[in-house]
Amino acid sequence: MGFYINSALNLFAGKGYTSMDGSSITIRAPLFPWMMAGSFWLLGVSVWSAFWVVRVFCILGPLAVYWLGERFVGKWVGFLAALLILSSYSMNFWSYTHLDAIWPVFVLLFVGLVHRALDTQKPPVFALAGLALALGYWTKEASILFLPLPFCLIALDKGLRNRRVVIGLCILVACFLLAISLWVFPLLFSGHDLYTALVAEKGASMLNAGIVMSPLALVKGYMVGLLDYYWGGSDNSQSLRANFVVAPLFLVAWLFCGLKAIQNDRLGRSLGVGLLLLSPYMAYVGHNNLRVGHLIILLLLSYLALAWFLIETTEGMLNLMKKRLKMPGWLKPVMTASLTSALIVVQVFGAGEKDKGSLLVMRESLISRTLAGKDNTLRMVNLYNERDREVGEWIRLNIPQGSSLMISSPGDRPIYFYAHAKYRVISMPMPFFTFYNTAQSTAINGRAKGPVVFLTAWSPLNDPRNWISALPEEVLHAAIKKYGVDYIITDAWLNFLTLYFDQNAGFKKIKEFDKGAIKIYRVLELRSSSKFEPLVVDRLIHYLRELYKSEPMKLSLYVKYFFEPYLGWNADRVRKLAGIALDGSSRGYRVVACGKIY
């Protein structure tokens, strides 16, 4: 979220759509930052004003679901779906702190307008549908997955195959392409390939990974990814089942939608086609253990399908009972209310592995905390705290504006924000190697010279995103020289870096905060620390030991592609690294821990 807040701050400050270091942003279209910049203009620059944009769309999402439900089936389906969404802890959690609750609103609007256009066959409605999807694309490029929806619906309904509909589809696609071209064409002219320009870097990596796979491997990966998304793989913390206590009912509801689609029901077809269009994204998220909140759009549609299933089930039960008994008219609303109440009770008071129940949301809400006399300062954003505010304000008062600051992550984004974007901020270089998607690395060009500042592993072994990182002094000095860094700031998470800067005479500590949790150094000159012992984060040692036990082949690949070509360390040295003691007394290395103050 900090990425979007700071890019919005730069827009508000007249610096254009740029990142903290002043470079142009090309990895995400700018509609969301534009909206936050507008919020800054209306409400003032603060974390709260940035998050008002998210909160507005968190309300618009259930309203859009209600609109679709009311349009296709009836108001009770829409109302029940919206009520279930609003009473879900996980929906609240994933919606209120990420971008992912915004683009689904435009996609839902697109779905509704597509059906309206097919009903009326009026060109202006087709145009509005194309523009609605373009707004979703300008928020997140994944919205393009829904572009085939109207074509699929026409293919399934012979009655829609006429000249007016074909013209309308051409208008829809033309409006969509024209709107997104304002973002895509500049990317193409700046050297991006078509994949990257259309679907962003992560989307391009997903497509490229699929292209190089054999058909059998692609199908297998697709099926395993879908299973991992619902059930969870080696780490199920981000699975649908772990985050939603009603997840089993989602499966039943989607099967119900499939049956309705076979029966030529319009909503069933729309939901079924939408699920199929989203399934590659689901497989990608599941395979790579990404946060379940990436697919808020799927969750909104799942609650709509669930509400529809409950209403239809209630009516079906009543119809069976009517054949034998005389049913009073009030029984249907009572049964519907009972089922709805039961589900809401489960969501509010129930708890799963990650679904903590909405009762916790109520207890931690602004109203509850205010009534209890608790502090609500910056409640929603953990990274943007009072310590970061203090650091940012000190920088504004004591460091010349326009200076280049190198800050270790994750402290770089909040400090940049509280320094009011008056400085150029460069993130601490973190060269890494990973097998995530395909084997890849950054900033590794030949063997590094000089001592190594630190090594670490950034994810547990059972996480597909695990990677190993090493920062040689040569790489650090090269970044300082390249960007003209004037000051270096170490945050609490990588506080062990102070062990390097404190002993190197080329850096002078000028300020520290919170008993040394954050330190600021002035860069005097670049001096080599030839006798410096590499700092080895304890989690790397645990990681290497696990690789020796369970995945020796993967470890040999790390040695072949990372340790040997980059650091000049052979297999024996890596084996010795895995066997060193964790008490910090090992000769030749110093074992450290993330988050510990040194």
Side-chain angles (χ1 to χ4, degrees):
M1 192 66 183
F3 165 81
Y4 299 105
I5 292 178
N6 285 337
S7 56
L9 183 61
N10 285 344
L11 286 168
F12 177 75
K15 300 172 70 173
Y17 189 41
T18 55
S19 60
M20 295 184 295
D21 63 6
S23 60
S24 297
I25 295 175
T26 59
I27 63 173
R28 177 73 70 231
L31 182 57
F32 183 35
W34 279 348
M35 288 189 286
M36 281 198 292
S39 183
F40 290 155
W41 181 74
L42 289 172
L43 304 174
V45 177
S46 70
V47 175
W48 285 113
S49 58
F51 270 78
W52 274 115
V53 175
V54 181
R55 293 182 187 121
V56 167
F57 280 87
C58 287
I59 301 300
L60 291 178
L63 288 176
V65 169
Y66 170 81
W67 174 61
L68 284 181
E70 189 272 338
R71 173 172 176 76
F72 283 105
V73 184
K75 63 181 180 180
W76 285 111
V77 170
F79 178 75
L80 175 56
L83 198 59
L84 291 173
I85 291 168
L86 292 172
S87 63
S88 168
Y89 164 82
S90 291
M91 284 298 293
N92 277 277
F93 177 82
W94 291 113
S95 297
Y96 276 83
T97 55
H98 293 88
L99 158 76
D100 304 294
I102 298 178
W103 66 278
V105 174
F106 297 116
V107 171
L108 294 175
L109 180 61
F110 167 73
V111 173
L113 287 173
V114 163
H115 280 275
R116 178 66 175 169
L118 294 176
D119 286 341
T120 62
Q121 299 185 11
K122 294 181 178 179
V125 185
F126 281 103
L128 287 175
L131 293 176
L133 188 62
L135 288 173
Y137 179 91
W138 272 81
T139 308
K140 191 171 184 177
E141 289 82 353
S143 301
I144 201 174
L145 288 171
F146 281 83
L147 184 59
L149 176 66
F151 298 92
C152 294
L153 295 178
I154 292 172
L156 293 171
D157 190 343
K158 294 181 180 179
L160 294 174
R161 301 172 195 171
N162 59 63
R163 183 170 177 271
R164 294 188 66 184
V165 170
V166 172
I167 293 175
L169 285 182
C170 292
I171 293 173
L172 185 154
V173 173
C175 289
F176 173 76
L177 293 178
L178 180 63
I180 71 170
S181 66
L182 299 175
W183 170 253
V184 173
F185 281 173
L187 294 182
L188 291 174
F189 292 141
S190 65
H192 289 74
D193 58 56
L194 183 60
Y195 278 169
T196 305
L198 275 176
V199 294
E201 292 181 3
K202 289 186 178 179
S205 68
M206 180 175 69
L207 288 172
N208 291 329
I211 290 172
V212 300
M213 296 172 67
S214 67
L216 182 61
L218 185 61
V219 172
K220 180 182 178 181
Y222 171 77
M223 300 303 296
V224 171
L226 290 178
L227 181 63
D228 286 346
Y229 178 77
Y230 175 80
W231 194 261
S234 54
D235 175 17
N236 66 0
S237 63
Q238 295 300 331
S239 67
L240 193 66
R241 177 186 60 85
N243 283 270
F244 289 86
V245 293
V246 298
L249 292 178
F250 288 160
L251 294 181
V252 177
W254 281 110
L255 288 174
F256 167 78
C257 288
L259 292 174
K260 297 297 271 187
I262 294 174
Q263 297 171 4
N264 297 328
D265 184 273
R266 297 180 67 194
L267 180 58
R269 284 179 172 179
S270 296
L271 290 176
V273 171
L275 181 65
L276 289 176
L277 294 176
L278 277 173
S279 61
Y281 196 2
M282 294 163 57
Y284 179 78
V285 170
H287 178 70
N288 293 296
N289 195 39
L290 303 178
R291 66 176 186 269
V292 70
H294 271 290
L295 285 166
I296 290 290
I297 178 63
L298 173 68
L299 302 174
L300 292 172
L301 294 176
S302 295
Y303 274 110
L304 178 58
L306 178 56
W308 187 24
F309 167 71
L310 290 175
I311 296 293
E312 290 281 335
T313 301
T314 302
E315 292 182 350
M317 292 171 60
L318 286 173
N319 290 333
L320 288 175
M321 294 169 67
K322 282 181 180 180
K323 293 179 180 180
R324 298 184 178 182
L325 301 171
K326 186 177 181 180
M327 297 289 108
W330 50 262
L331 188 57
K332 177 181 176 180
V334 169
M335 289 183 64
T336 303
S338 298
L339 287 173
T340 303
S341 300
L343 273 181
I344 291 175
V345 167
V346 169
Q347 290 201 130
V348 171
F349 297 98
E353 294 178 42
K354 302 287 284 186
D355 191 346
K356 300 177 183 179
S358 285
L359 189 61
L360 177 63
V361 177
M362 296 177 188
R363 288 173 178 170
E364 293 298 310
S365 68
L366 293 180
I367 296 175
S368 296
R369 291 180 62 84
T370 301
L371 292 176
K374 296 181 180 179
D375 180 23
N376 287 317
T377 305
L378 305 179
R379 181 66 188 162
M380 289 297 295
V381 196
N382 293 329
L383 288 178
Y384 291 74
N385 52 48
E386 285 302 317
R387 183 175 64 192
D388 294 327
R389 183 198 295 273
E390 181 185 358
V391 175
E393 291 179 350
W394 187 91
I395 289 173
R396 285 193 290 111
L397 295 174
N398 295 276
I399 293 181
Q401 292 186 11
S403 299
S404 293
L405 316 177
M406 178 176 283
I407 308 177
S408 60
S409 181
D412 49 356
R413 288 173 176 171
I415 291 175
Y416 181 81
F417 179 82
Y418 288 123
H420 292 186
K422 302 294 185 181
Y423 303 86
R424 185 188 188 195
V425 169
I426 295 91
S427 298
M428 189 78 68
M430 298 288 175
F432 71 89
F433 183 85
T434 181
F435 292 101
Y436 177 47
N437 291 329
T438 55
Q440 56 181 297
S441 60
T442 65
I444 298 177
N445 298 306
R447 182 170 298 178
K449 301 176 182 178
V452 173
V453 177
F454 80 95
L455 301 98
T456 188
W458 289 97
S459 296
L461 181 62
N462 62 354
D463 191 325
R465 295 165 293 177
N466 55 58
W467 45 287
I468 291 178
S469 176
L471 176 59
E473 185 181 63
E474 176 192 25
V475 173
L476 175 63
H477 286 189
I480 293 173
K481 184 177 181 180
K482 177 181 178 180
Y483 296 106
V485 174
D486 304 298
Y487 298 87
I488 291 178
I489 304 172
T490 58
D491 74 333
W493 182 244
L494 298 184
N495 185 265
F496 57 77
L497 288 172
T498 61
L499 298 173
Y500 170 79
F501 293 115
D502 284 338
Q503 61 81 45
N504 190 311
F507 306 95
K508 180 182 179 181
K509 185 177 72 175
I510 60 174
K511 183 66 177 179
E512 68 176 50
F513 302 85
D514 196 9
K515 299 179 180 179
I518 295 179
K519 295 182 181 180
I520 300 179
Y521 298 85
R522 180 184 289 116
V523 179
L524 302 178
E525 60 179 319
L526 298 180
R527 292 187 180 184
S528 177
S529 301
S530 56
K531 297 181 179 180
F532 184 74
E533 292 182 338
L535 305 172
V536 181
V537 179
D538 53 4
R539 66 169 61 192
L540 173 63
I541 300 172
H542 289 298
Y543 182 59
L544 293 177
R545 289 176 180 176
E546 287 297 316
L547 285 176
Y548 269 113
K549 292 178 182 178
S550 58
E551 297 190 50
M553 180 60 69
K554 189 173 184 178
L555 179 62
S556 66
L557 293 175
Y558 270 120
V559 173
K560 179 179 180 180
Y561 292 109
F562 181 75
F563 286 103
E564 283 188 347
Y566 186 43
L567 303 178
W569 294 9
N570 58 25
D572 288 337
R573 184 166 183 179
V574 176
R575 188 178 298 110
K576 291 178 181 178
L577 177 62
I580 66 176
L582 296 174
D583 59 3
S585 62
S586 300
R587 184 176 180 182
Y589 304 97
R590 177 162 181 176
V591 181
V592 295
C594 291
K596 182 179 178 180
I597 308 303
Y598 291 89

